[in-house]
Amino acid sequence: MSVSMLLGCSSVKVSEYAQETPVLDLATYFNGTIDAHGIFTDRSGKVVKRFKVVIEANWTVKDGQKVGVLDEAFTYSDGTTQRRVWTLTEVAPKRYQGTASDVVGQAVGEVSGNALNWSYTLALPVDGKVYNVKFNDWMYQMDDKVMLNKAEMSKFGIYLGEVTLAFYKRP
């Protein structure tokens, strides 16, 4: 197979989901308490870690921009815990930037239809070392309570594995 054929098939644009419903509004879905269950699979597809997340989320308007805080509490299958607090800012209609203490620089994302595509680098601790790992993160709102998430991880362009989550918004 030629390199051009591989590259031609490799990137999906978020705009391809423009007609999909329900239309995702981050400030509406990520508002209140959201529970999530997820797995990390390595490049062979083996599940290496399972985890649960409880997210407390709320939004305000600052200087005319929507700003959301997502406070994520992780509990892993080995009993360890982690906390990540995202601050998301709508910088233009359907365009977002995000920061967290373990995100290198800023995450950038775009919403179209029911989908959100995030791109960011995470400082990921592994066996006592920290690696900067690139995430191509996709979220798909299924209905008013369920969202599915799939994030591919890579370093130096080499595929490392995936994180898969199912979010459930509490009533």
Side-chain angles (χ1 to χ4, degrees), residues 38-75:
I39 57 173
F40 166 67
T41 54
D42 65 15
R43 69 181 77 179
S44 74
K46 179 182 177 188
V47 175
V48 204
K49 233 177 208 185
R50 295 174 292 120
F51 57 93
K52 297 178 188 177
V53 188
V54 176
I55 304 167
E56 297 295 340
N58 64 71
W59 289 76
T60 57
V61 176
K62 292 182 184 173
D63 301 323
Q65 292 181 308
K66 291 182 196 174
V67 177
V69 175
L70 282 63
D71 189 341
E72 302 176 328
F74 292 80
T75 304

Side-chain angles (χ1 to χ4, degrees), residues 19-135:
Q19 302 306 313
E20 296 294 326
T21 59
V23 173
L24 174 58
D25 178 341
L26 290 185
T28 299
Y29 186 83
F30 285 106
N31 191 31
T33 304
I34 299 104
D35 296 294
H37 292 82
I39 57 173
F40 166 67
T41 54
D42 65 15
R43 69 181 77 179
S44 74
K46 179 182 177 188
V47 175
V48 204
K49 233 177 208 185
R50 295 174 292 120
F51 57 93
K52 297 178 188 177
V53 188
V54 176
I55 304 167
E56 297 295 340
N58 64 71
W59 289 76
T60 57
V61 176
K62 292 182 184 173
D63 301 323
Q65 292 181 308
K66 291 182 196 174
V67 177
V69 175
L70 282 63
D71 189 341
E72 302 176 328
F74 292 80
T75 304
Y76 294 94
S77 52
D78 64 3
T80 59
T81 60
Q82 180 185 16
R83 183 170 177 224
R84 177 176 298 120
V85 179
W86 282 97
T87 300
L88 308 180
T89 304
E90 185 179 45
V91 294
K94 300 184 180 189
R95 294 190 181 272
Y96 294 84
Q97 290 181 343
T99 59
S101 63
D102 56 353
V103 171
V104 179
Q106 289 189 336
V108 292
E110 183 178 358
V111 172
S112 186
N114 74 328
L116 165 67
N117 181 220
W118 275 115
S119 178
Y120 55 93
T121 299
L122 190 66
L124 192 64
V126 178
D127 299 329
K129 294 182 181 178
V130 176
Y131 298 93
N132 289 345
V133 176
K134 189 171 176 88
F135 278 72

